[in-house]
Amino acid sequence: MKIQLNYSINDLKEIDFMAVLPMIFPVIAIVMLFVLIALIDLYRHRKTRKNVLIWTIIILLVLPLGPIVYFIMGRKDSGRK
């Protein structure tokens, strides 16, 4: 009895992505919503935040953790005294 432990490119051709799309779409929509909310918050408070460019890059490139990290750590990063 032979057990296949890995998958190849040919196995990806057999996946019906239209059947998987209803499960993936809500996750993508929620992540994009978090990104949008984080960018809006960053833009509204850009004068009091330090490292606006760095936070923008983190929010956009480190999906899905970028917006979460921004809301946990970035909101504390203000220039107010």
Side-chain angles (χ1 to χ4, degrees):
M1 177 184 278
K2 183 178 179 182
I3 298 175
Q4 183 179 359
L5 297 176
N6 57 1
Y7 296 100
S8 66
I9 296 293
N10 293 330
D11 294 328
L12 289 176
K13 293 178 184 177
E14 296 174 8
I15 296 175
D16 183 17
F17 286 106
M18 294 308 288
V20 177
L21 190 62
M23 293 180 279
I24 295 174
F25 184 72
V27 174
I28 293 171
I30 290 171
V31 169
M32 290 299 118
L33 182 66
F34 281 149
V35 167
L36 184 65
I37 292 170
L39 288 174
I40 289 171
D41 184 71
L42 183 63
Y43 178 75
R44 286 185 180 171
H45 300 99
R46 67 186 179 276
K47 294 185 183 193
T48 59
R49 299 277 190 262
K50 297 178 184 176
N51 307 320
V52 174
L53 180 62
I54 293 172
W55 279 116
T56 304
I57 292 169
I58 290 172
I59 291 170
L60 292 174
L61 296 181
V62 186
L63 293 176
L65 296 176
I68 296 169
V69 170
Y70 169 73
F71 283 119
I72 292 172
M73 297 175 57
R75 296 188 70 172
K76 297 176 188 173
D77 183 28
S78 64
R80 293 186 222 158
K81 292 182 180 181

